[in-house]
Amino acid sequence: MNATAPSKKAKAPRTAMPEQDPKVRARNFEEVALGYTPEMAAAEAARCLQCKKPACRKGCPVEIDIPAFIKQVAAGDLDAAYGVIRETNSLPAVCGRVCPQETQCEGSCILGKKGEPVAIGRLERFVADSYLARSACETVTGTPACSMARDDLKVACIGSGPSSLTCAGYLAARGIPVTVFEALHEVGGVLVYGIPEFRLPKGVVRQEVQAMKALGVEFRTNWVGGKTITVPELLESGYDAVFIGVGAGLPRFLGIPGENLIGVFSANEYLTRVNLGRAYKFPATDTPTFPGKHVVVFGGGNVAMDSARTAMRLGAEKVSLAYRRTEHEMPCRREELHHAKEEGLEILCLNAPLEFIGDDKGRLTAIAMQKMMLGEPDDSGRCAPVACQGDTCTLEADMAIVAVGTGANPLISQSTPGLSTYRRGYITADPETGETSIRNVFAGGDIVTGAATVISAMGAGRRAAKAIAERLLGAAAADPPQARAADDPADA
Amino acid sequence: MPTRILRKRKLIPGQTSELVLEAPHIAAKARPGNFVILRVWEDGERIPLTIADADPTAGTITLVYLIMGKTTAHLDTLDAGDFLLDVCGPLGKPTEIHKLGGPVICVGGGTGIAAMHHIAKGHHMAGNHVVTIIGARCEDLLLFRDELCSFCPEVLISTNDGSCGRQGFVTDLLVERLTEDKTVAEVVAIGPVPMMRAVAEATRPFGVKTTVSLNSIMVDGIGMCGACRVSVGGETKFACVDGPEFDGHKVDFDGLAARLTSFKEQERISYEEFRKSHECHCSK
């Protein structure tokens, strides 16, 4: 189907997605991008050329069969479309919203060479949003209950972010009971404490988690891996395998004078207060946040964008983002940069902080800044920022948010004898299987690679889950249950 | 999973209470010096409280709190049989406890006496001679006196008004003791920042190892945000994972005291709202 003259289709413009007005949304926490209607989704799906060798699929870290699900969207069969996506992706409603598609699936789409690529992320989101009310078990396995459940096996996942959730979902769909241990009081990792409501509504995460509970995944919150329970204790108490997906949540600071002044926050603290603590509703909620008037955010990634846009929504008069390189090098999602500028964010490129300056009460009042220029390419392949000697200035600010990256939290490695780590505490894991230096202990996501994307963490969770399933069930039984939903009688 | 309150005891009516919680997985692991993070209700904040005692056999932990704002006031509306929404722990590094060559002096002030109790008990179990010094404004505000007397060979008391023990400050007793006893191996101090600072300054001339347990603002308690950061010997440390106990002679107490005032205004607003709604509720 849809095999008519590709050249004409290539000219059809990408279907726009409705959004909240920038003036209105800059002061609220409602989702900015509103999603496709069924008509918009059908129109966008019809643009797909249904390539025989789809480059988009290679561009997706979990290799969703993109043409297959889009074909079902065009045909109006959302059940089948969801089934195709869920074969490889446990969190489609999340990924459709937060993946940097421009460097992944959409960046590889053939239509993007001459015009605009198919809006794969928006279509994935549309399918998942339309489908979330349904039983996950039915969708993944084709049966209403997980009849193949094994009571002789069990796997523990430490952490409940994207990598662990993906690992748990994959195993549970194959009948292996999974217990997820989460240190915080809510499940979802960065999806609940990091990414704000206006980009990823928490209701979406809760629904995905609910779908996993329906698959039989048990969640234990307030259990700190390495403190309340350790990896050796899990193995001793009868877990057949352990997956470590604890992320890279240790904030990095700048190491410059004045960093402990009142008003200087790590992005993790600021976002955790607002998102997990719902401080934007204070005092109806108890977690306070800091009422910054002049806010400066340091960094150029998604975390910096999220912090800046959050500060705006909490009533800051002026929010500036200082970055050592230029806009071109910013690692954030392009759509977020675009949205942030529409909402009034000031960008100060080629600027680095020298010192935080405070008053006699220990409160931040200003920041001394150093002008930078781009020099030779460094290890990352990007041009290294070099200080323009003598070119400094002072910015007035009562709040600063440091979003210059995170490191590995040592709680797990400190409490697990024999677990190999490399480079500042990241866990060493086999790139193919995710297995660590300890047999039957696997790891994936940011705790292995350092801070990366939601979808790459999910890819790692899926690879590890596959390896675990192969070891516990044998190779044949561990294969995905095929495109059962896609080949359903519904299609016949 | 909600945590059941088994017992509640009002230590100082309207001010300080003790809760015994059913938390076997925390009790099994809790060591002196550890703390928990708890949340009272759905829209509640996360606050840290030191584990004042743990009984692995009974599967219980004991917490002591001072009512000083919204969350602790809200916590105090709960009673035996009620549930706490979230209790997470044990967190932080345990106190370093070894058999020492001389006595250990454990100094406690205010609610800090409860935290000090667990540590003093740990030192006692390790075979150390434990001297405890506790202080308060007046006799009625002294906590855990009987508990401490049950295992400590020496419990020294000071009150500001002289209603019990020596009139004055805990540091007066401490300096006296250090002057007459040169064998003291370590001093541990837990209480308000000014008290811990005073203890650190009092022991500095004697060159006695001094450990303080810091009470900085915390959010997650597992090292992922840095809200609790404090400068120790010129280096930034996270109290929740690197501490909460540090060398008292190296801690930047001024920085700690300033950071504790970060949300003073918001804390006032929150507490006032709570008191208003609570009064309205009572008068109905």
Side-chain angles (χ1 to χ4, degrees):
Chain A
M1 71 178 356
N2 298 326
T4 48
S7 57
K8 269 187 193 164
K9 281 191 187 300
K11 283 176 193 152
R14 184 172 158 116
T15 313
M17 179 156 60
E19 288 174 352
Q20 271 199 77
D21 181 86
K23 284 206 180 67
V24 176
R25 76 184 191 229
R27 298 290 160 184
N28 72 40
F29 276 83
E30 309 289 317
E31 192 168 23
V32 169
L34 300 172
Y36 278 160
T37 62
E39 294 73 30
M40 291 171 184
E44 185 58 24
R47 293 180 65 228
C48 174
L49 301 180
Q50 291 293 318
C51 301
K52 285 270 176 294
K53 289 181 182 168
C56 54
R57 190 172 183 180
K58 284 213 169 62
C60 169
V62 296
E63 294 183 42
I64 294 175
D65 191 346
I66 292 165
F69 100 75
I70 291 184
K71 186 176 165 184
Q72 300 295 353
V73 176
D77 190 346
L78 298 183
D79 291 13
Y82 190 67
V84 173
I85 296 172
R86 281 298 296 260
E87 275 171 42
T88 62
N89 187 342
S90 308
L91 308 168
V94 173
C95 286
R97 285 174 166 86
V98 305
C99 275
Q101 286 96 0
E102 65 267 20
T103 59
Q104 295 175 340
C105 55
E106 293 177 18
S108 309
C109 173
I110 194 92
L111 283 186
K113 295 230 160 116
K114 283 191 174 164
E116 285 185 300
V118 174
I120 301 165
R122 294 173 182 179
L123 287 173
E124 181 186 26
R125 168 190 164 150
F126 169 76
V127 170
D129 284 358
S130 314
Y131 207 81
L132 273 173
R134 295 289 291 270
S135 148
C137 188
E138 188 171 357
T139 313
V140 178
T141 66
T143 55
C146 292
S147 52
M148 55 188 178
R150 298 274 301 255
D151 53 10
D152 57 332
L153 296 172
K154 57 176 179 172
V155 172
C157 291
I158 306 179
S160 70
S163 69
S164 267
L165 288 184
T166 304
C167 181
Y170 184 101
L171 293 172
R174 278 145 195 86
I176 300 176
V178 182
T179 312
V180 176
F181 295 92
E182 166 56 46
L184 293 174
H185 59 260
E186 247 177 73
V187 169
V190 74
L191 306 178
V192 297
Y193 76 75
I195 304 175
E197 191 84 10
F198 55 81
R199 205 149 75 78
L200 177 64
K202 299 299 156 255
V204 172
V205 182
R206 274 196 290 274
Q207 273 178 305
E208 302 265 39
V209 168
Q210 208 50 46
M212 296 186 55
K213 284 184 183 165
L215 271 177
V217 178
E218 185 199 343
F219 290 94
R220 285 195 203 168
T221 50
N222 298 315
W223 283 70
V224 185
K227 286 283 177 188
T228 318
I229 191 104
T230 65
V231 172
E233 285 163 357
L234 286 168
L235 292 173
E236 279 161 29
S237 67
Y239 283 92
D240 298 284
V242 176
F243 176 78
I244 303 168
V246 295
L250 198 78
R252 253 185 234 138
F253 284 92
L254 293 158
I256 60 172
E259 202 149 50
N260 294 345
L261 287 168
I262 298 172
V264 182
F265 292 83
S266 74
N268 267 14
E269 178 183 352
Y270 188 63
L271 293 174
T272 302
R273 283 180 178 278
V274 178
N275 298 327
L276 184 72
R278 295 194 285 283
Y280 57 92
K281 292 187 194 161
F282 181 88
T285 53
D286 294 346
T287 307
T289 182
F290 198 83
K293 287 259 177 290
H294 295 131
V295 181
V296 183
V297 180
F298 294 94
N302 287 324
V303 177
M305 288 308 146
D306 287 344
S307 304
R309 297 174 71 196
T310 297
M312 270 176 208
R313 282 160 172 77
L314 289 172
E317 282 164 17
K318 187 178 176 195
V319 181
S320 312
L321 184 128
Y323 185 57
R324 297 188 305 160
R325 297 182 166 96
T326 69
E327 235 177 85
H328 177 71
E329 283 86 18
M330 282 186 185
C332 64
R333 208 169 174 250
R334 290 295 111 175
E335 186 170 292
E336 308 314 325
L337 178 60
H338 172 71
H339 279 155
K341 283 198 205 165
E342 277 187 335
E343 290 161 14
L345 178 70
E346 177 192 54
I347 310 260
L348 304 170
C349 282
L350 294 167
N351 267 292
L354 278 177
E355 183 181 356
F356 294 108
I357 301 159
D359 61 14
D360 57 352
K361 292 200 173 77
R363 292 182 171 258
L364 178 72
T365 55
I367 306 167
M369 307 279 284
Q370 166 74 59
K371 276 265 173 252
M372 311 294 284
M373 58 185 177
L374 287 185
E376 296 297 308
D378 63 9
D379 302 346
S380 72
R382 302 178 299 176
C383 293
V386 184
C388 303
Q389 286 306 329
D391 194 354
T392 63
C393 67
T394 306
L395 268 183
E396 232 179 74
D398 59 353
M399 177 166 179
I401 303 171
V402 180
V404 297
T406 52
N409 191 316
L411 288 181
I412 291 283
S413 49
Q414 278 171 358
S415 62
T416 312
L419 186 69
S420 295
T421 59
Y422 70 104
R423 194 167 60 91
R424 285 189 283 193
Y426 295 111
I427 295 175
T428 315
D430 183 315
E432 295 296 317
T433 63
E435 190 158 25
T436 66
S437 54
I438 303 173
R439 189 173 158 80
N440 292 335
V441 176
F442 297 74
D446 289 2
I447 190 60
V448 172
T449 57
T453 59
V454 167
I455 188 73
S456 64
M458 293 177 57
R462 183 164 173 270
R463 279 194 299 279
K466 221 172 158 179
I468 294 170
E470 276 177 15
R471 181 158 301 162
L472 299 184
L473 301 173
D479 271 343
Q482 301 309 324
R484 238 181 273 175
D487 301 335
D488 253 358
D491 221 26
Chain B
M1 265 257 292
T3 301
R4 186 200 302 270
I5 300 171
L6 294 176
R7 290 191 295 281
K8 178 176 179 177
R9 186 162 65 122
K10 294 192 172 175
L11 300 177
I12 304 168
Q15 190 180 316
T16 305
S17 295
E18 175 194 86
L19 300 177
V20 177
L21 307 180
E22 181 181 37
H25 59 288
I26 301 177
K29 295 250 162 140
R31 302 286 172 268
N34 285 146
F35 65 95
V36 296
I37 292 266
L38 63 81
R39 207 165 66 112
V40 183
W41 67 305
E42 196 48 52
D43 283 329
E45 62 178 339
R46 298 165 66 91
I47 62 159
L49 285 179
T50 307
I51 298 171
D53 206 356
D55 184 340
T57 320
T60 61
I61 58 168
T62 302
L63 304 178
V64 174
Y65 57 89
L66 168 71
I67 301 168
M68 57 184 307
K70 157 95 191 255
T71 298
T72 40
H74 194 168
L75 182 60
D76 204 52
T77 62
L78 302 181
D79 223 322
D82 291 337
F83 287 85
L84 281 173
L85 192 56
D86 298 291
V87 180
C88 173
L91 302 172
K93 284 193 175 147
T95 312
E96 278 185 38
I97 295 177
H98 311 284
K99 177 83 179 85
L100 297 168
V104 180
I105 303 182
C106 296
V107 189
T111 321
I113 300 172
M116 186 273 274
H117 166 261
H118 201 199
I119 294 168
K121 199 170 153 187
H123 274 292
H124 166 72
M125 311 259 272
N128 288 322
H129 178 90
V130 181
V131 179
T132 53
I133 302 179
I134 57 175
R137 279 205 318 279
C138 61
E139 181 170 21
D140 294 346
L141 303 182
L142 288 167
L143 302 180
F144 277 67
R145 212 166 126 192
D146 297 341
E147 287 84 346
L148 289 167
C149 287
S150 73
F151 64 84
C152 283
E154 296 176 66
V155 178
L156 312 178
I157 293 170
S158 74
T159 48
N160 299 18
D161 65 356
S163 52
C164 181
R166 180 77 61 86
Q167 179 178 6
F169 297 101
V170 284
T171 39
D172 302 334
L173 293 168
L174 176 64
V175 168
E176 211 169 273
R177 180 66 191 226
L178 287 172
T179 309
E180 64 197 30
D181 184 354
K182 299 293 176 200
T183 66
V184 173
E186 186 177 348
V187 173
V188 180
I190 306 169
V193 172
M195 174 260 182
M196 291 193 286
R197 184 207 314 250
V199 167
E201 287 319 313
T203 60
R204 201 186 293 275
F206 294 94
V208 176
K209 181 185 176 189
T210 302
T211 304
V212 291
S213 178
L214 303 186
N215 53 337
S216 34
I217 292 175
M218 291 186 187
V219 181
D220 51 86
I222 52 176
M224 55 174 268
C225 86
C228 65
R229 66 194 189 274
V230 54
S231 178
V232 181
E235 262 182 82
T236 295
K237 299 277 183 189
F238 291 1
C240 70
V241 290
D242 299 320
E245 291 174 15
F246 294 101
D247 180 344
H249 295 147
K250 292 186 178 165
V251 169
D252 170 14
F253 285 107
D254 286 336
L256 173 66
R259 283 188 66 79
L260 283 170
T261 67
S262 299
F263 297 99
K264 223 173 166 179
E265 181 56 18
Q266 288 79 7
E267 285 160 3
R268 188 189 60 76
I269 293 168
S270 191
Y271 197 12
E272 258 174 31
E273 294 262 326
F274 179 76
R275 276 192 289 201
K276 252 188 271 165
S277 65
H278 200 61
E279 276 162 23
C280 289
H281 181 71
C282 290
S283 62
K284 262 180 200 170

